[in-house]
Amino acid sequence: MNKKTVKKGLIPYVFLILIMLGVFYFVTVANQKVNMLTYDEFMDSLNSSDVKELEVKPRARASIYEIRGRLKKYKENETFYVRVPLTDSIMQRITEISEKQNFEFTTVADPESNSLLLILANVLPILLFAGLAFFILTRQMGGGKNSLDFGKSKAKLSSDKNKVTFKDVAGLKEEKEEVKELIDFLKNPRKFQKLGARIPKGVLLYGPPGTGKTLLARAVAGEANVPFYYISGSDFVELFVGIGASRVRDMFQQAKRTAPCLIFIDEIDAVGRQRGTGLGGGHDEREQTLNQLLTEMDGFGENEGIIIIAATNRPDVLDPALLRPGRFDRQVTVNLPDVKGREEILAVHAKNKILAPNVQLNYIAKRTPGYSGADLENLLNEAALLAVRRNKEAITMSEIDEASDRVLMGPAKTSKNRSENDRKLVAYHESGHAVVGIKLEGASDVQKVTIIPRGAAGGYNMMIPSEEKICSTKTDLLEQITGLLAGRVAEEVVFGEITTGAENDFSKATKIARSMVTEYGMSDLGPMQLEQQEGSVFLGRDYNKSRNFSNEVAHEIDQEMRKIIDECYKKATKIIKENRKLLDLLATTLLEYETLTKEQIDYLVKNGEMPNEDETSYEKMSITKLKELAKEKGIKGYSKMNKVELINALEGLEK
């Protein structure tokens, strides 16, 4: 067993013992009543035979006797205390009376006569308090073997066991090209120095979370085969002012000994935020740490052979001094991968997984726009967990589809009992989204429609753009709003009633419409940006929006937004009414199958009926067919089960 583990395990017991001793003290000692007697009162009680027990302790240095005892009239928790002169006559008198009256009489040796006991009594409490203070201080400052070295750097040196190269980094082709110069410099710096070229001292990687910034930095070190120090920005900042700056100095001193090398600072915004900001001024410790980092990167000293790579999701809050040439000379944006990049990332994460022959990574890549590398890894991991849970030998498209739904919307709520009227409302609501998506030219492709509740949604419609775009046109945004409003339109057209199910649709549609008017200049107000995301660095720059308009313009903005929403609502109503038969067909089929895939929807639109049911796939069967199979196999309560519960029950019998 590890000695550190044993020590940590003993600490709670030590505190428990101290607490028990404290409780014992208050119960036994604190409740005692001690009466202070004078010399005359004590002698009167002694002569009148009132003493029940007596304890005498000589104090040679003070020339007194400390006498404690109890009188016959005292209660159980009551004692007396008296000091008398240190004379032989008093002791002789007490001894004679005790022999006559036969009360309990004890004599305690003078503790001051024992030098060792005296030292322990005076020094031990001081040592205990000093030890406790030292323990608390070292725990606060990091603990460990070098607990007093809290000013030392916490940067860790990566081992060869965790070596990463560019082969392990997929979907970042341009980003890898940007950092290849660093590798060449670390391998052969003289080639650059010969022509007077100065390699960037720092490279800032920024982009959305999960896009592979840390992985790319580790790959640079792995390709160059140089030492790689990594540390988080929050590891610099401590309770005491000056510790962070000390750790920065120590980190660069360590790096100089092993140069050429790489230093990777993750989440640098924790220490590199703009100075002098905040409602109450700056943070002294953080600002001193940042000042030291600025000096080390490009101050009076030289850090030849040391390249710093930093990563952050918030480059907008960094101090301008960090981003100037000579510090972070190069800034590389690590964007979300495109469809080709997603396929490459999926191939990397699928190496250690067993995939069924029908699983096509390019198809999964097309269905996952907006996914980061971390999202894709999580998708395959969730699919693998589902395959294990279902006792399958390989991961099929069924598990990947379910994993995608779980990542986006959460697990299916199979235990939620809904009335037939609720199912019908949700079916028509989702079918309304699908009809508008199908009939609008240039609209997103409908990939999946389901009425199985997930998360806070009673159902959802997965629509993916036919092609990935960098910029959205006004027509694209208007069609998005029209598609979002189509669910409410379908409810109103079919039932003549509206529900609360379109709340999230309205929220998204309103945000798009307001952005079109106030940020994109896509209204009659003209090409002006009336609002922009802005805020103080202390509040993260996204706490509020700056508004550069008067009350009259605010009224015009509201009118323009209403105009956009009303026009899209009318357009959605027209499409729904013109395609009522398709709406009824989709809704009726949804009630029967609960989930429709893109292939099934395309076949249904073209032929007016569903394709022949696949006898080998429960997912593609209707609820009626599944209930017939459940009845044949004697599954109890099948009539009240939904599709997911029926599939789980049938698969359970096969296992």
Side-chain angles (χ1 to χ4, degrees):
M1 186 180 291
N2 193 347
K3 292 182 178 179
K4 291 184 178 180
T5 306
V6 174
K7 291 180 180 178
K8 290 181 179 179
L10 290 175
I11 292 173
Y13 294 102
V14 173
F15 280 106
L16 181 61
I17 292 170
L18 292 175
I19 292 171
M20 292 176 65
L21 290 173
V23 172
F24 176 76
Y25 171 80
F26 281 105
V27 171
T28 58
V29 179
N31 291 330
Q32 294 289 331
K33 182 180 179 182
V34 180
N35 298 312
M36 303 298 294
L37 300 182
T38 64
Y39 175 76
D40 293 334
E41 290 173 341
F42 169 68
M43 293 306 297
D44 290 341
S45 299
L46 189 64
N47 294 326
S48 59
S49 303
D50 289 338
V51 178
K52 185 177 180 180
E53 60 182 56
L54 207 64
E55 178 186 275
V56 179
K57 182 186 297 184
R59 292 288 187 182
R61 291 191 178 183
S63 299
I64 61 170
Y65 284 113
E66 288 185 351
I67 301 175
R68 302 175 188 273
R70 296 174 61 192
L71 301 181
K72 294 179 180 180
K73 60 182 179 180
Y74 281 178
K75 298 178 182 179
E76 288 295 328
N77 63 337
E78 195 172 1
T79 60
F80 70 82
Y81 174 80
V82 64
R83 292 184 175 185
V84 300
L86 186 66
T87 60
D88 295 335
S89 59
I90 292 177
M91 276 300 298
Q92 184 177 2
R93 176 66 177 163
I94 293 174
T95 304
E96 291 175 355
I97 294 175
S98 66
E99 291 176 355
K100 291 179 181 180
Q101 298 180 5
N102 196 25
F103 59 80
E104 186 177 345
F105 171 60
T106 56
T107 303
V108 180
D110 186 0
E112 295 177 354
S113 62
N114 190 332
S115 58
L116 179 61
L117 187 61
L118 180 64
I119 292 172
L120 289 176
N122 289 278
V123 178
L124 187 59
I126 298 174
L127 292 176
L128 287 175
F129 278 109
L132 181 61
F134 178 78
F135 173 76
I136 295 173
L137 188 64
T138 53
R139 293 287 291 181
Q140 288 291 328
M141 296 180 179
K145 293 180 180 179
N146 300 321
S147 55
L148 289 177
D149 296 337
F150 48 84
K152 298 294 184 181
S153 170
K154 287 189 175 183
K156 299 177 182 178
L157 184 63
S158 179
S159 62
D160 293 335
K161 296 179 181 179
N162 301 322
K163 189 175 180 179
V164 177
T165 62
F166 280 166
K167 294 180 181 179
D168 303 307
V169 182
L172 299 176
K173 184 178 179 181
E174 291 79 10
E175 290 80 356
K176 286 190 284 189
E177 290 293 333
E178 283 290 320
V179 296
K180 274 187 178 179
E181 287 181 1
L182 304 180
I183 300 170
D184 294 338
F185 172 77
L186 291 170
K187 287 183 176 179
N188 187 11
R190 291 183 180 178
K191 181 175 68 173
F192 292 84
Q193 295 168 355
K194 183 179 180 181
L195 296 178
R198 180 181 61 81
I199 203 69
K201 292 186 178 181
V203 177
L204 180 67
L205 305 176
Y206 64 90
T211 48
K213 299 182 288 295
T214 304
L215 188 66
L216 182 61
R218 291 179 59 190
V220 172
E223 289 287 337
N225 197 24
V226 296
F228 177 68
Y229 296 91
Y230 59 96
I231 189 172
S232 172
S234 59
D235 286 335
F236 290 111
V237 183
E238 281 289 352
L239 176 66
F240 302 101
V241 176
I243 300 302
S246 175
R247 288 178 177 175
V248 171
R249 288 191 295 269
D250 186 68
M251 179 179 69
F252 277 90
Q253 288 175 3
Q254 290 182 30
K256 287 176 183 178
R257 299 189 195 107
T258 56
C261 65
L262 276 174
I263 297 176
F264 176 65
I265 305 175
D266 199 8
E267 304 297 344
I268 193 173
D269 52 279
V271 70
R273 282 177 175 257
Q274 191 170 334
R275 291 167 291 182
T277 57
L279 301 178
H283 186 295
D284 288 340
E285 165 63 359
R286 181 178 56 77
E287 290 194 2
Q288 286 196 24
T289 306
L290 175 59
N291 292 336
Q292 186 64 42
L293 181 62
L294 295 174
T295 304
E296 292 289 348
M297 289 187 69
D298 189 24
F300 290 104
E302 291 290 334
N303 288 316
E304 293 296 334
I306 301 175
I307 296 177
I308 300 176
I309 301 179
T312 181
N313 305 324
R314 301 297 307 273
D316 55 319
V317 302
L318 294 180
D319 194 278
L322 265 178
L323 305 179
R324 75 160 176 81
R327 295 203 172 103
F328 284 106
D329 308 74
R330 185 167 298 177
Q331 300 173 27
V332 180
T333 305
V334 185
N335 286 318
L336 293 170
D338 57 9
V339 62
K340 185 178 179 182
R342 292 196 297 273
E343 186 177 351
E344 294 174 357
I345 293 170
L346 286 168
V348 170
H349 293 302
K351 286 180 180 178
N352 62 339
K353 294 177 175 61
I354 302 175
L355 302 178
N358 67 333
V359 175
Q360 299 179 2
L361 297 181
N362 59 346
Y363 175 70
I364 302 173
K366 291 178 182 178
R367 287 190 53 186
T368 52
Y371 276 53
S372 66
D375 293 330
L376 295 170
E377 190 276 334
N378 186 42
L379 173 66
L380 290 182
N381 184 62
E382 285 287 341
L385 293 174
L386 285 169
V388 173
R389 199 177 304 163
R390 296 174 179 179
N391 289 333
K392 291 189 176 181
E393 296 181 355
I395 302 170
T396 65
M397 282 303 299
S398 173
E399 282 75 44
I400 292 176
D401 286 339
E402 175 66 18
S404 178
D405 293 340
R406 291 172 71 93
V407 170
L408 289 175
M409 304 292 295
K413 296 185 176 180
T414 57
S415 60
K416 204 169 191 178
N417 294 323
R418 296 187 298 171
S419 65
E420 193 61 29
N421 185 49
D422 283 343
R423 293 181 71 250
K424 193 173 182 180
L425 278 168
V426 174
Y428 271 96
H429 182 100
E430 300 302 334
S431 297
H433 292 304
V435 168
V436 173
I438 292 168
K439 292 301 178 180
L440 274 179
E441 294 183 4
S444 300
D445 295 335
V446 181
Q447 295 290 325
K448 187 176 184 179
V449 184
T450 180
I451 60 172
I452 297 174
R454 290 179 183 272
Y460 74 96
N461 193 319
M462 182 188 293
M463 300 178 70
I464 296 176
S466 55
E467 58 181 8
E468 297 184 25
K469 301 178 181 179
I470 298 175
C471 298
S472 297
T473 64
K474 182 178 180 180
T475 302
D476 293 335
L477 297 176
L478 290 173
E479 288 184 350
Q480 285 183 37
I481 296 174
T482 305
L484 289 167
L485 299 174
R488 165 60 68 84
V489 172
E491 294 176 7
E492 192 173 4
V493 169
V494 176
F495 301 101
E497 186 62 271
I498 56 178
T499 69
T500 59
E503 176 190 2
N504 189 44
D505 299 332
F506 291 160
S507 175
K508 293 178 181 177
T510 305
K511 287 179 181 178
I512 296 173
R514 188 169 190 88
S515 296
M516 289 177 66
V517 176
T518 61
E519 296 181 39
Y520 308 146
M522 296 179 177
S523 69
D524 293 340
L525 292 180
M528 294 188 297
Q529 190 176 52
L530 302 172
E531 286 182 346
Q532 59 182 354
Q533 296 285 350
E534 190 176 275
S536 66
V537 177
F538 180 77
L539 298 174
R541 288 192 188 270
D542 55 2
Y543 186 76
N544 54 17
K545 288 184 177 181
S546 65
R547 301 188 175 188
N548 304 316
F549 50 82
S550 63
N551 292 333
E552 290 78 7
V553 176
H555 178 65
E556 292 180 17
I557 290 173
D558 294 339
Q559 288 182 324
E560 288 296 322
M561 288 176 57
R562 184 177 294 277
K563 181 181 175 182
I564 291 173
I565 296 293
D566 288 344
E567 288 178 356
C568 292
Y569 196 88
K570 290 177 182 177
K571 188 175 183 180
T573 304
K574 181 182 178 182
I575 295 172
I576 291 293
K577 288 182 176 179
E578 290 177 352
N579 297 275
R580 177 62 189 271
K581 289 184 178 179
L582 178 59
L583 177 69
D584 293 334
L585 178 62
L586 285 172
T588 305
T589 310
L590 263 179
L591 289 170
E592 184 67 16
Y593 285 82
E594 289 196 337
T595 300
L596 297 177
T597 62
K598 175 177 170 52
E599 294 78 12
Q600 291 173 326
I601 294 171
D602 292 341
Y603 190 92
L604 191 63
V605 173
K606 185 177 180 181
N607 301 287
E609 60 180 3
M610 287 287 287
N612 294 329
E613 294 181 354
D614 188 352
E615 298 297 333
T616 62
S617 175
Y618 292 137
E619 286 81 4
K620 295 183 179 180
M621 291 184 185
S622 65
I623 291 182
T624 304
K625 181 66 175 177
L626 290 171
K627 287 184 177 180
E628 289 176 359
L629 289 175
K631 183 179 179 181
E632 291 175 5
K633 297 185 178 183
I635 297 176
K636 296 180 180 180
Y638 69 90
S639 59
K640 296 182 180 180
M641 294 182 181
N642 58 29
K643 188 170 184 178
V644 176
E645 291 173 325
L646 287 167
I647 292 173
N648 291 337
L650 290 168
E651 288 181 343
L653 285 179
E654 293 178 357
K655 296 171 187 176

